[in-house]
Amino acid sequence: MSETAAKAPGSTLGAAVDSNRWKALAFIAIAQLMVVLDATIVNIALPSAQQDLGISDGNRQWVVTAYALAFGGLLLFGGRIADLWGRKRAFVVGLGGFAAASALGGAATNEAMMFGARALQGAFGALLAPAALSLLAVMFTDAKERAKAFGIYGAIAGGGGAVGLILGGFLTEYLDWRWTFFVNIPFAIVAAAGAWYVIREPEGGRNRSALDIPGVILSTLGLVSLVYGFTRAESEGWSDSMTIGMFVASGVLLLAFVLVESRVKAPLLPLRVVTERNRGGIYLSLGLAIIAMFGLFLFLTYYLQIVKGYSPVKTGFAFLPMIAGMITGSTQIGTRLMTRVAPRLLMGPGFLVAALGMLLLTQLEIGSSYAALLLPAMLLLGLGMGTAFMPAMSLATQGVKPQDAGVASAMVNTSQQVGGAIGTALLNTIAASATTSYIADHIAGASNKSQQQLVQLEGMVEGYTSAIWFAVGILVVAAGIALTLVNAGRPGGSTVASSEEGAQDEVAVPVVAH
């Protein structure tokens, strides 16, 4: 076992850089793709699984909700476990558990078995996701290499959901819905085996402090209440007593969590991680952008399948321009400019370009042309989001102590997860309200069944465009936050900054060969 000494401030890392870091990135990317795919691939399979397992309409939401609650509620805990155990071990354990839970879901014979499998997937995903992002944060410390690594990671994080629609459509149409679960197993095995052999973590990166049990309980219950509140609002309405109770409980629990974290010796989430201006700005702007993005995925999927009559596979392929845009924005624009301009000058304009793409979609009609309207809108959305996500992912974990990398990464995932829950519930409610209002105003003029069906389709499209207007506004706000709060300069040095309580001293991270 040999250790290279830390370099002097401002110097290159030289021999301290792990020679296997690019191989490690490949396996981290496979694991990230698996987690992101799972968010959409199961949605495509849900109607078939519901029929096979006899799940009622009232209970089917739990296939999605069980995963979301476990994943969103346990993310901070998962990030802290990664800091405690070591990120490599947390990564491999997370992959193994996710694969086992996927096997259980694919073999499910009733709804209880399915819900349990989904909750287990969420729990192991909450360990895996922060471990993956924090591994990148501690392994790639050279500014240019970090830009490339996070460009690849950002493209997968942004475009993986759309890949899930294609893969989910193929597996459901040509094989069986169970394969949307079984497909995770080879991904997990390859990623875990590769990670075990090639990942080398920097020495001194663990946080061996005693686990903050009150913080774990309060954060988990608070986040579960918040995510469930928005999920329930989508199905039961905002005035439902349980919905309101969940939001009140979440507010009380999360406030208690902040008070506990400000007083305990070894907090689950050191408040310096979120109160630092740049990271706080990123968590907030990223969460808002995801609100807009998740709502859009939902509406476009319904629009293409119900209004335009696309098959699941054709719908998946229709999202390809967005994936191409995200990959280009993340790996070409973001990566090339990140070391030349300040992050806010990529994030702000990126969110505005995405807002422009969203603005085009407010013109949606029943007969809208895919080539003339949806194609350019998706390209702009992908380009903008890819360009903005890449520096956001990198800067969110830059400047934290290695011991806090897991929990800082977990906050990125938490802002995305909570943003997704809010986006789905909030924009769905706006769309449903506009649809109901439109149909009520126009149905009287429909004299036969075909005209009534036309009014209902027009009402659906009216609902989508009304909600998309809100999404445009949300993206503009996200751009404003990124431009005003994120004030970090371009990462011009060869190493990334390490900060504690606001100090910004440039250091090289020592690497140990195991």
Side-chain angles (χ1 to χ4, degrees):
M1 186 177 286
S2 63
E3 182 175 328
T4 30
K7 301 281 179 182
S11 67
T12 58
L13 284 173
V17 174
D18 179 11
S19 60
N20 281 329
R21 64 198 179 284
W22 292 107
K23 292 178 187 173
L25 173 62
F27 297 115
I28 292 167
I30 290 169
Q32 173 64 12
L33 180 61
M34 180 187 74
V35 172
V36 177
L37 280 177
D38 196 71
T40 49
I41 199 170
V42 174
N43 289 351
I44 295 278
L46 186 52
S48 304
Q50 181 185 355
Q51 189 175 355
D52 269 12
L53 300 178
I55 302 172
S56 69
D57 284 347
N59 283 342
R60 73 179 172 190
Q61 63 158 330
W62 284 101
V63 176
V64 176
T65 304
Y67 179 89
L69 293 184
F71 187 68
L74 293 170
L75 271 167
L76 284 177
F77 182 44
R80 178 67 179 84
I81 290 293
D83 289 333
L84 181 66
W85 286 359
R87 283 156 280 277
K88 175 179 173 177
R89 185 183 297 175
F91 183 72
V92 172
V93 170
L95 281 166
F98 200 92
S102 298
L104 189 66
T109 54
N110 54 53
E111 62 179 38
M113 195 170 165
M114 170 60 76
F115 300 156
R118 289 292 283 160
L120 276 174
Q121 276 188 315
F124 283 106
L127 179 62
L128 174 60
L133 184 55
S134 57
L135 275 169
L136 288 191
V138 298
M139 291 177 73
F140 289 89
T141 52
D142 177 82
K144 288 187 177 179
E145 289 195 347
R146 187 180 175 90
K148 289 179 185 175
F150 276 88
I152 294 165
Y153 186 89
I156 292 168
V163 176
L165 293 171
I166 299 172
L167 190 56
F170 265 109
L171 293 172
T172 305
E173 272 191 48
Y174 300 117
L175 289 173
D176 185 75
W177 66 265
R178 295 181 186 277
W179 281 97
T180 60
F181 286 89
F182 292 145
V183 74
N184 289 329
I185 298 170
F187 275 112
I189 290 170
V190 169
W196 187 257
Y197 286 107
V198 305
I199 287 178
R200 299 288 181 268
E201 270 191 84
E203 181 72 3
R206 291 195 194 180
N207 185 344
R208 300 182 188 274
S209 306
L211 199 58
D212 170 21
I213 299 300
V216 170
I217 294 168
L218 289 169
S219 68
T220 301
L221 292 177
L223 288 170
V224 164
S225 300
L226 184 64
V227 173
Y228 185 56
F230 281 109
T231 305
R232 190 174 174 87
E234 183 191 351
S235 58
E236 304 298 329
W238 296 89
S239 58
D240 174 66
S241 59
M242 177 69 86
T243 302
I244 295 168
M246 284 291 121
F247 286 136
V248 171
S250 171
V252 171
L253 288 163
L254 292 177
L255 181 60
F257 171 67
V258 171
L259 291 173
V260 167
E261 298 308 275
S262 66
R263 285 169 168 77
V264 296
K265 186 179 178 182
L268 173 71
L269 175 63
L271 294 182
R272 62 178 175 268
V273 171
V274 288
T275 54
E276 197 273 321
R277 176 174 176 163
N278 289 290
R279 277 192 291 278
I282 280 168
Y283 296 146
L284 192 55
S285 61
L286 203 57
L288 286 169
I290 293 292
I291 289 175
M293 228 15 216
F294 260 64
L296 181 77
F297 264 131
L298 189 72
F299 298 142
L300 280 186
T301 302
Y302 277 113
Y303 174 79
L304 291 170
Q305 290 195 24
I306 296 173
V307 179
K308 304 295 279 187
Y310 284 22
S311 69
V313 172
K314 191 176 179 182
T315 300
F317 277 108
F319 278 98
L320 276 177
M322 192 184 293
I323 300 174
M326 281 185 174
I327 291 170
T328 304
S330 190
T331 62
Q332 299 304 311
I333 302 171
T335 300
R336 291 174 188 274
L337 294 180
M338 190 180 157
T339 54
R340 300 179 188 178
V341 301
R344 69 177 181 276
L345 299 180
L346 289 172
M347 290 177 65
F351 287 140
L352 289 174
V353 168
L356 183 61
M358 202 79 84
L359 190 64
L360 287 178
L361 290 174
T362 60
Q363 307 306 307
L364 266 185
E365 295 175 353
I366 287 179
S368 291
S369 161
Y370 177 84
L373 182 67
L374 274 79
L375 179 64
M378 286 193 190
L379 280 170
L380 285 170
L381 268 164
L383 273 173
M385 287 295 197
T387 302
F389 274 18
M390 186 261 152
M393 294 278 188
S394 177
L395 192 59
T397 53
Q398 185 172 311
V400 293
K401 296 191 302 175
Q403 297 95 316
D404 294 336
V407 86
S409 302
M411 277 303 299
V412 177
N413 296 110
T414 302
S415 67
Q416 290 177 304
Q417 185 65 22
V418 172
I422 295 171
T424 306
L426 179 65
L427 297 180
N428 227 6
T429 304
I430 293 165
S433 176
T435 296
T436 303
S437 178
Y438 183 92
I439 292 172
D441 290 345
H442 294 80
I443 200 70
S447 56
N448 56 50
K449 191 174 181 180
S450 63
Q451 286 180 340
Q452 289 171 354
Q453 288 176 336
L454 181 64
V455 168
Q456 287 177 335
L457 287 176
E458 286 172 345
M460 285 175 68
V461 176
E462 176 70 19
Y464 301 155
T465 54
S466 298
I468 289 169
W469 272 111
F470 275 86
V472 171
I474 290 167
L475 280 173
V476 171
V477 172
I481 289 169
L483 287 167
T484 53
L485 279 186
V486 179
N487 65 351
R490 66 184 181 87
S494 59
T495 53
V496 298
S498 174
S499 70
E500 182 177 356
E501 304 294 357
Q504 294 287 335
D505 302 314
E506 198 172 47
V507 296
V509 182
V511 176
V512 64
H514 293 287

